[in-house]
Amino acid sequence: MAISPRRNLTELLRGLDPASPRFGEVYAIVYDELRVLADQQLRRERAGHTLQPTALVHEAFLKLADTATLDLESRGHFFGIAARAMRQVLVDHARQKQAAKRGGNLDRVTLTTSIEGQPDHATDVLDLHTALEKLATEDEPLARLVELRFFTGLTLDEAADALGVSRRKAAKDWSVARLWLRRELEGGG
């Protein structure tokens, strides 16, 4: 009887050391799914963005591989950590573009978000990163929920599972987080 990729991934994640050959197995199992998520993220970016989905996945995985140990509990936990790595790659990319401009007419990297419920609203990735850092100081679980939903594209059920909370609590927290971020990003604090 063959082990499903989902179950196999959960087994591989337990005690995963980025230096072990199992890390490559994990990469092979999750690559396609991460590639789809990266493609979704980059579709939200402005036209002509220089970062490609494949590069985003590879850069995020390199960040994960640089970690001394990954204490992973589940598939959802892995994707949460992958979301944070993708977010950091996007932020680093935006900062490099901003630094290259040295002021003046900055060509800012933007993401289209549905945080406000308006899918065509563009939010600067650096502004979102700053807002998430601030939210994390006030309420770390809310910030993690936003990362899971926004950067990894997990459903509410998957995010609830990754965070170890009920779907009802995740739904309530998602509403609170969206409201908080909308106020923060609109400058209302």
Side-chain angles (χ1 to χ4, degrees), residues 86-106:
M86 280 188 182
R87 172 181 160 206
Q88 193 58 54
V89 169
L90 289 170
V91 167
D92 291 347
H93 186 75
R95 284 182 177 151
Q96 288 172 357
K97 295 283 278 184
Q98 188 177 43
K101 294 290 183 177
R102 298 177 196 248
N105 187 16
L106 295 177

Side-chain angles (χ1 to χ4, degrees), residues 124-146:
D124 181 80
V125 71
L126 294 177
D127 292 342
L128 180 59
H129 173 70
T130 301
L132 278 175
E133 285 183 334
K134 184 175 180 182
L135 179 59
T137 64
E138 294 179 21
D139 194 325
E140 175 68 26
L142 284 183
R144 287 191 61 219
L145 178 62
V146 172

Side-chain angles (χ1 to χ4, degrees), residues 26-36 53-54 57-58 61:
V26 169
Y27 186 75
I29 292 171
V30 299
Y31 177 81
D32 289 338
E33 196 167 348
L34 288 176
R35 175 72 170 66
V36 167
T54 301
V57 171
H58 290 240
F61 230 80

